[in-house]
Amino acid sequence: MKSAKPIQNDINRESEEIKQLVSKFRSLNIQITPQRLVIASALTGTEKHLSVEDIHQIVRKKNSKIGLATVYRTLNLLKGKGLIEEHRFNDEFSRYELHTESHHDHLICIECETVIEFDQPVIEHLQDLAAAEKNFTIVSHRLQIYGICENCATANKKREKNPISP
Amino acid sequence: MKSAKPIQNDINRESEEIKQLVSKFRSLNIQITPQRLVIASALTGTEKHLSVEDIHQIVRKKNSKIGLATVYRTLNLLKGKGLIEEHRFNDEFSRYELHTESHHDHLICIECETVIEFDQPVIEHLQDLAAAEKNFTIVSHRLQIYGICENCATANKKREKNPISP
DNA sequence: GTGGCTGCAAAAAGTTTGCAAGAGG
DNA sequence: CCTCTTGCAAACTTTTTGCAGCCAC
């Protein structure tokens, strides 16, 4: 037989992710429940930074009875175990993403709210220097840059050339 | 006569600050009210990063009838006019400080919550580079470093040497 | 005088908690 | 089985809003 159908691949990917989550949970001493697996897989299934409400919506499509409180409790648990990271952009509510080995920072577009991740090891090094100067021991850090992304900048230029209202 | 008494100096400093605020308000087209002056002078009178509740407490000592809503409204107004800056450390509530010409970032102690300001122009330059690489136009940024300050580190070491409970 | 500001209370929005019933190991 | 988790609703926290009266200009 040849390769499976696309839909089958999706199911395979998903069940593969669930398997990995189960072993991750075991190794971290997290009790396994369907709710927790569905919530965690909402984050493994995307590269976006999801709000609690986003996650609640996604999760309800698979198990319509999951309550918002369970989503909050689970996210706090996973955060405590280091599986996911919490962010606050633009002083809004919390957003979550999977924790990855390599630390990265964020460029946030103030027009379309897109989040671009970037990595600047030299900046990290300079932070260490700045902290050392004040005898400060770094535990973690957060760097957020706000501005206009490439797409919005291009769109803005077009609008200037072809103004709808003069 | 010689120099004025210390208490008099305090009053002088304060009335001097009020005078400066009044002219600042005038130049920014902010209507002058006693409430607004008292709220703004709570921030000119300190280098700390005050929460809304902090400011409300301070302000009530001078004018006990000022409502929390007025504090919020005034802070939003002053923020909009660029007179003050809003920060969110450790995903808590908002804190405010006076806006200064030179941008600085923050070291936040996760034990005693002290905030130390620092300035690293080279980091700013590297941010520009990182943004340029993604064709991103920077509008503003926020860098927060969390860790242990010198005082707490020293205190922790002492505690290790002289443990109260073995 | 009158439009903007204030105080109060009520509402919003995001998040946490108490509790009885249910599920995991 | 016994503990930990869940769903629901209610509570809590921070911030915003509606409105009548008041104040700055």
Side-chain angles (χ1 to χ4, degrees), chain B residues 105-142:
Chain B
D105 294 305
H106 298 98
L107 296 166
I108 302 121
C109 179
I110 56 181
E111 292 204 355
C112 67
E113 313 220 318
T114 298
V115 178
I116 305 169
E117 303 186 337
F118 75 96
D119 189 23
Q120 263 282 27
V122 191
I123 292 185
E124 318 259 312
H125 178 60
L126 286 170
Q127 285 175 22
D128 293 345
L129 291 184
E133 206 173 279
K134 312 261 186 195
N135 290 315
F136 193 91
T137 313
I138 294 183
V139 170
S140 68
H141 78 267
R142 181 191 304 163

Side-chain angles (χ1 to χ4, degrees), chain B residues 28-79:
Chain B
L28 290 170
N29 255 326
I30 301 173
Q31 185 172 310
I32 292 156
T33 70
Q35 289 90 335
R36 288 175 177 181
L37 289 174
V38 174
I39 291 167
S41 72
L43 286 165
T44 57
T46 182
E47 309 229 315
K48 288 188 187 154
H49 299 71
L50 302 176
S51 69
V52 177
E53 206 47 67
D54 291 339
I55 295 169
H56 192 209
Q57 297 301 324
I58 293 170
V59 145
R60 271 181 178 264
K61 286 180 188 154
K62 311 222 166 156
N63 176 342
S64 58
K65 283 219 283 302
I66 294 185
L68 192 53
T70 301
V71 178
Y72 274 102
R73 280 187 283 231
T74 303
L75 292 172
N76 280 334
L77 173 73
L78 300 180
K79 183 177 62 167

Side-chain angles (χ1 to χ4, degrees), chain A residues 31-32 34 68-69 72-73 76 88 93-94:
Chain A
Q31 186 173 309
I32 290 156
L68 191 54
Y72 274 104
R73 280 188 284 230
N76 279 335
R88 289 211 177 198
F93 35 74
S94 295

Side-chain angles (χ1 to χ4, degrees), chain B residues 152-166:
Chain B
C152 288
T154 313
N156 289 347
K157 263 187 205 149
K158 265 191 198 148
R159 203 174 308 125
E160 277 167 31
K161 280 192 185 169
N162 286 358
I164 296 164
S165 54

Side-chain angles (χ1 to χ4, degrees), chain A:
Chain A
M1 61 182 82
K2 299 187 73 176
S3 66
K5 293 182 225 159
I7 179 88
Q8 191 60 41
N9 280 341
D10 257 25
I11 293 175
N12 286 343
R13 183 184 51 71
E14 206 170 292
S15 73
E16 185 55 40
E17 278 175 10
I18 297 287
K19 245 185 259 175
Q20 290 186 6
L21 282 174
V22 167
S23 63
K24 200 123 206 171
F25 278 20
R26 289 233 170 83
S27 70
L28 290 169
N29 254 326
I30 302 173
Q31 186 173 309
I32 290 156
T33 69
Q35 289 90 337
R36 288 176 177 179
L37 289 174
V38 174
I39 290 167
S41 72
L43 285 165
T44 58
T46 182
E47 309 229 316
K48 287 187 189 156
H49 299 72
L50 301 176
S51 69
V52 177
E53 207 46 67
D54 290 340
I55 295 168
H56 193 209
Q57 297 300 324
I58 293 170
V59 145
R60 271 181 178 266
K61 286 181 188 153
K62 312 223 164 154
N63 176 343
S64 59
K65 283 218 283 302
I66 294 184
L68 191 54
T70 301
V71 177
Y72 274 104
R73 280 188 284 230
T74 303
L75 291 172
N76 279 335
L77 173 74
L78 300 180
K79 182 176 64 166
K81 297 284 188 174
L83 261 173
I84 63 175
E85 281 177 24
E86 183 183 18
H87 297 289
R88 289 211 177 198
F89 302 130
N90 230 357
D91 302 335
E92 281 171 42
F93 35 74
S94 295
R95 293 183 172 275
Y96 293 85
E97 73 171 323
L98 228 53
H99 174 82
T100 53
E101 291 306 316
S102 69
H103 179 86
H104 54 253
D105 294 306
H106 298 98
L107 296 167
I108 302 121
C109 179
I110 55 180
E111 292 204 355
C112 66
E113 312 223 318
T114 298
V115 178
I116 305 169
E117 303 187 337
F118 75 96
D119 189 23
Q120 263 284 26
V122 191
I123 292 186
E124 318 259 311
H125 177 61
L126 286 170
Q127 285 175 21
D128 293 346
L129 292 184
E133 205 173 279
K134 312 262 185 194
N135 290 314
F136 193 90
T137 314
I138 295 183
V139 169
S140 68
H141 78 267
R142 181 190 304 163
L143 170 58
Q144 298 166 0
I145 301 182
Y146 296 88
I148 315 285
C149 74
E150 188 172 11
N151 281 347
C152 289
T154 313
N156 289 348
K157 262 187 206 149
K158 266 193 198 145
R159 204 175 308 125
E160 276 167 32
K161 280 192 186 168
N162 286 357
I164 296 164
S165 53

